[in-house]
Amino acid sequence: MKQAKIWALIALAVFSKNQAQNYLNYSINNAHSHNDYEQKVPFWEAYYADFGSIEADVFLVKGQLWVAHSEKELSAERTLENLYLDHISKQIKLNKGSIYPDANKKLQLLIDVKQEYKTTLAALTDVLKKYPEITNSSSVKIVITGGRPQPSDFKNYPNYLYFDGDINQKYTADELKRVGLFSADLQDFIKWNGKGIPRDEETLAIKKTVDNAHAQKKAIRFYGAPDFTNAWINLIDLGVDYINTDHIPDLKKFLTTLPKNFYKNTKNYETYSPTYQTDGVVKKVKNVILLIPDGTSLPQYYAAFTANKGKLNVFNMKATGLSKTGTRIYGFCHRSKNKKYFCRR
């Protein structure tokens, strides 16, 4: 048990040293529009934000694929075709075979099957026959999640369909070729609200899962994840490939400004190592030097500690403390003969 803890700490130390490199590897193409159909303008908001992945939930109703989060929200006016396939088709034709004007950019369409998958997928393949420009385009990947066949049945579906993978499932080499990505519920691994950072053991559990997906050369996303800046930062630290969001403009701004806001110290300084040779010696003190760093608290210390690769003079001190200061306004009041009060600061 002791040895296992030591290895866990070593793994965490290596992870902490390398995690900053992740920021420079992320772009808006790592953004996933969760439940995209609930946006004010489905597809287009995520598309014009250059998102790399869009999600649509589908129900088979009267032979058509209707898009909604639940059955009570179904509407004949909101189909997979008129919300997504028609627009994707239009953009591919406009960009001469590529979904985006930049041919290097890709789009993943994650279709969440909410009912029995056999009839739904049969209807989907029939619909997609009308869109050869989509199924033949290497810039668009259609991935089925939710209701989906067993891995041994992947081969029974057209090659343009991929399937969401289960990280705990063992796949044959041929089955793995049809896995589009791995998805998992974050709450199955950690009970974290997105504030601060996950506990060390939670961090290691997620990192192990991410490494497992990457060892199989697949991307991974976690649904049920907190959706705000601090959570996004932690997910990037952990190497999660797709960042889920319901807040398209916010995630776009965060990811596009990330390289500009990222800083890496290229020259670290060597910290002073006290010898404490006179520690405990009783003699008259010659000088007392008091240094007061104005506006410096734990976040500032931690930022400097991180930038200097885990070394800081103040953390080498034998005794440290914190003080809380504030401004007080002193004054006095007196009562005049006519019983009026006058106050001064």
Side-chain angles (χ1 to χ4, degrees):
M1 180 63 71
K2 185 176 181 181
Q3 187 178 19
K5 289 184 177 179
I6 292 173
W7 280 111
L9 290 173
I10 292 173
L12 182 62
V14 173
F15 163 64
S16 299
K17 182 179 179 181
N18 295 329
Q19 65 181 0
Q21 301 297 326
N22 286 342
Y23 295 114
L24 301 182
N25 295 329
Y26 278 73
S27 70
I28 196 65
N29 214 237
N30 294 98
H32 172 74
S33 181
H34 172 252
N35 292 346
D36 180 81
Y37 49 88
E38 293 189 338
Q39 296 294 329
K40 290 183 179 179
V41 187
F43 178 75
W44 291 112
E45 287 191 57
Y47 178 80
Y48 283 124
D50 289 334
F51 269 38
S53 184
I54 294 176
E55 179 180 349
D57 297 355
V58 297
F59 293 81
L60 183 60
V61 182
K62 301 177 182 178
Q64 288 188 317
L65 295 170
W66 293 8
V67 176
H69 187 64
S70 64
E71 292 186 2
K72 65 180 181 180
E73 299 166 321
L74 289 169
S75 168
E77 298 176 353
R78 295 171 62 82
T79 69
L80 184 66
E81 290 187 69
N82 62 33
L83 288 185
Y84 295 98
L85 299 182
D86 287 346
H87 301 321
I88 292 173
S89 173
K90 176 183 176 182
Q91 295 309 111
I92 289 175
K93 292 175 181 177
L94 183 66
N95 297 315
K96 298 179 180 179
S98 179
I99 181 64
Y100 283 112
D102 182 349
N104 293 317
K105 291 183 178 180
K106 313 293 183 183
L107 178 66
Q108 175 178 266
L109 178 61
L110 193 65
I111 300 177
D112 191 341
V113 175
K114 302 304 251 182
Q115 297 167 310
E116 190 273 324
Y117 73 85
K118 288 185 178 180
T119 54
T120 302
L121 291 183
L124 176 62
T125 54
D126 282 343
V127 168
L128 288 172
K129 290 176 182 177
K130 298 160 52 178
Y131 300 92
E133 63 282 356
I134 296 178
T135 58
N136 292 328
S137 175
S138 60
S139 67
V140 176
K141 177 186 282 188
I142 301 173
V143 181
I144 306 302
T145 188
R148 54 198 187 277
Q150 292 297 314
S152 58
D153 290 330
F154 288 172
K155 63 181 181 296
N156 298 326
Y157 292 88
N159 289 333
Y160 58 74
L161 286 184
Y162 293 84
F163 301 91
D164 200 358
D166 180 349
I167 196 65
N168 297 314
Q169 175 81 41
K170 298 295 183 182
Y171 296 93
T172 67
D174 287 338
E175 292 167 353
L176 191 60
K177 291 178 182 178
R178 301 297 298 276
V179 173
L181 80 161
F182 286 110
S183 295
D185 187 347
L186 188 68
Q187 299 305 313
D188 286 344
F189 295 85
I190 61 176
K191 305 302 178 186
W192 173 61
N193 63 5
K195 298 178 181 179
I197 59 176
R199 299 194 305 270
D200 289 351
E201 64 272 21
E202 293 180 326
T203 295
L204 290 172
I206 294 296
K207 193 65 175 64
K208 181 180 178 181
T209 304
V210 171
D211 288 345
N212 185 6
H214 291 172
Q216 299 179 74
K217 299 182 179 180
K218 300 295 178 181
I220 188 169
R221 74 179 183 106
F222 289 95
Y223 54 89
D227 187 15
F228 51 89
T229 304
N230 189 71
W232 301 335
I233 291 172
N234 278 275
L235 292 170
I236 289 174
D237 280 344
L238 292 164
V240 178
D241 299 283
Y242 286 106
I243 309 301
N244 277 23
T245 192
D246 294 320
H247 311 295
I248 291 175
D250 295 337
L251 183 56
K252 177 186 178 180
K253 181 179 179 180
F254 170 75
L255 288 173
T256 53
T257 58
L258 194 57
K260 182 174 65 176
N261 295 333
F262 176 82
Y263 171 77
K264 180 182 178 182
N265 184 28
T266 57
K267 184 179 180 181
N268 61 303
Y269 71 87
E270 292 299 322
T271 55
Y272 171 71
S273 298
T275 62
Y276 300 111
Q277 291 180 355
T278 59
D279 194 28
V281 176
V282 179
K283 60 183 296 186
K284 186 177 180 180
V285 176
K286 184 178 181 181
N287 294 301
V288 175
I289 301 174
L290 176 63
L291 301 177
I292 303 176
D294 187 25
T296 304
S297 188
L298 291 179
Q300 287 74 30
Y301 280 128
Y302 185 73
F305 174 78
T306 303
N308 201 49
K309 299 181 180 179
K311 297 178 181 179
L312 204 62
N313 282 328
V314 70
F315 292 157
N316 291 338
M317 295 179 180
K318 194 171 183 179
T320 59
L322 295 173
S323 67
K324 180 180 180 182
T325 60
T327 302
R328 292 185 180 181
I329 298 176
Y330 295 91
F332 65 90
C333 297
H334 71 273
R335 185 180 182 187
S336 64
K337 293 181 179 179
N338 58 3
K339 299 183 179 180
K340 290 184 178 180
Y341 286 90
F342 295 90
C343 298
R344 295 180 180 177
R345 291 182 178 178

